[in-house]
Every structure is written in structure tokens, then in C-alpha cells.
Amino acid sequence: MPIGYHAGRAIELTPSILSANFANLGADVQAADEVGCSWIQVDVMDGHFVPNLTFGPPVIQAIRPFFKGTLDVHLMVSNPDALLEAYAKAGANHITVHQEASVHLHRTIQRIHELGCTAGVALNPATPVSSLDDIIEDLDLVLIMSVNPGFGGQSFIERSLAKIAAVRSLLDQRHHEAVIQVDGGVKPSNIASVVQAGATNLIAGSAFYSSTITPHQAWDAFVAALA
């Protein structure tokens, strides 16, 4: 369910399992489902495109029974085309690839749709919104990275707000409705400005999965921040 609404659009909270307890992953995924999250994100890193290694398709397959909503796979990898089918078969509902890693981006987006998933493109902090000019109408989602990808727990890059607004403006100009997702340093203290800029899907890692608060308390804090 949404955590709120802005300009007539539902605002979704998407926990990232990168910050979950890997020894208790099924229960942490189920906890996100139980508090009301409609999306959950799986950050896939290859140790090459970004300096970290994370989840393969077997992890997607293992957590799929614990979550009823959208399993959002964010491919932070150098060769996303080689992995699309494996993650779709494992249970992904949505797949996002990086503009910087996709040599033939239009073909990649087409392939994601052919596999029965919705498709998104992620932009790193230094990648301009103008790089989406020739692909925006084909996208179901645009992901603005508000930190440099690779590790959780980083601070939000404030310049990302202008970038979110630029994506909203581009979508409005093209009369195209797509999810604007924001990932990195998102927390209750800054989500009002992120949503005001035009975001509709907020990734929360350490602000959702934490040793100091429960997922239910985190959900309530995000809801209250948009009230």
C-alpha cells in the first residue's frame, strides 16, 4: 500500500534487502510484506560495475514465496543482457539496468518486456537526465541514484533533487507516466523534499532494516513524514 500521495500520485516505500539480516532473510522480506510494502528491491552487484558482490538468481528464487508484491531487481552489473532471463525466471517482476552499463539500451529494454517484466533505467549521480531523451517513452521506471552505487548507508546527494525534478519535467513534456524511483540516503527526514521534487517510489535500506527500529516502526516513520 502507499505511504502517502502527492499531486494525485501514490508514493511507494521500497525496502532494499541489501540492509536486511542475511541470516534471517526470508523473515525480513516477509516483514516488509506484512507492514504494507508493495515493492521490495534486490540490489544485484557484480564486483566489476560496482565494488561489491551481492545476490544471484537463487536468492530471488528463495525469497519469492515470502513476498506477494513486486520483486524489483536492480542490476548494477557490467553485462546486464547476460542476466535478464535468469532473474526473470527466478521471480523478478521488474528489472532495472544502468544506462552506463547498457551498450544497446533500447534492445535491453525490449528484452526485459519480452520476458514479462516491467523495465527501468538507472542513472548514476554524474549521468545527465538528457541521456534518457531517446528511451523515456519505453520505460516503466526511472531510477535516480542519489548516492554512488555499491554500498548501503551513504548520505543523500542533495543535487539529486534537481535531477528528480528534471525527470518529472521530461515525463510531463512527453505525456508519459513512469515511476520515478530514488535510491540512496532516503530517510524520513528528507522524503518530503524528494517527493516534492517528483519521486513516487522511495528506496529505503538502513532506514528500514535496522538494529534500532523494527520494520513496522520504520514504516510508521515514513508515513508520518508525508502526513
Side-chain angles (χ1 to χ4, degrees):
M1 72 179 78
I3 57 170
Y5 292 85
H6 179 73
R9 297 183 178 96
I11 309 301
E12 300 283 353
L13 179 67
T14 300
S16 167
I17 66 167
L18 187 61
S19 297
N21 180 351
F22 293 174
N24 202 32
L25 192 53
D28 273 7
V29 169
Q30 191 167 25
D33 189 87
E34 289 172 352
V35 301
C37 296
S38 302
W39 290 55
I40 198 163
Q41 189 183 71
V42 182
D43 289 308
V44 177
M45 306 180 190
D46 64 356
H48 185 262
F49 182 69
V50 293
N52 204 349
L53 287 168
T54 55
F55 312 105
V59 174
I60 309 295
Q61 206 166 15
I63 67 174
R64 179 70 273 183
F66 294 93
F67 193 72
K68 297 189 293 289
T70 298
L71 269 182
D72 169 8
V73 173
H74 176 195
L75 293 179
M76 290 178 268
V77 301
S78 294
N79 184 12
D81 296 284
L83 301 175
L84 301 178
E85 186 171 353
Y87 281 96
K89 284 184 175 179
N93 304 109
H94 172 87
I95 299 175
T96 292
V97 298
H98 270 260
Q99 190 274 350
E100 305 86 4
S102 301
V103 179
H104 302 291
L105 184 56
H106 185 268
R107 182 185 299 164
T108 301
I109 297 303
Q110 282 185 316
R111 181 57 179 152
I112 294 170
H113 285 144
E114 288 169 359
L115 290 166
C117 298
T118 54
V121 168
L123 301 181
N124 279 340
T127 304
V129 172
S130 60
S131 64
L132 298 176
D133 282 350
D134 293 324
I135 194 71
I136 191 75
E137 286 94 346
D138 297 301
L139 302 180
D140 304 292
L141 179 149
V142 177
L143 169 54
I144 300 299
M145 293 301 301
S146 46
V147 297
N148 288 293
F151 298 96
Q154 298 182 66
S155 297
F156 184 85
I157 297 172
E158 292 296 327
R159 294 192 305 278
S160 304
L161 294 174
K163 203 167 186 179
I164 297 164
V167 174
R168 173 56 63 203
S169 177
L170 179 60
L171 287 169
D172 289 347
Q173 289 168 20
R174 303 292 181 89
H175 305 288
H176 181 59
E177 193 65 35
V179 172
I180 300 180
Q181 190 176 67
V182 180
D183 185 1
V186 174
K187 49 192 176 182
S189 61
N190 64 16
I191 63 165
S193 58
V194 173
V195 168
Q196 184 68 36
T200 54
N201 191 300
L202 311 173
I203 304 296
S206 56
F208 187 87
Y209 290 119
S210 168
S211 60
T212 59
I213 58 172
T214 66
H216 194 281
Q217 289 169 327
W219 172 273
D220 287 346
F222 276 96
V223 169
L226 285 184

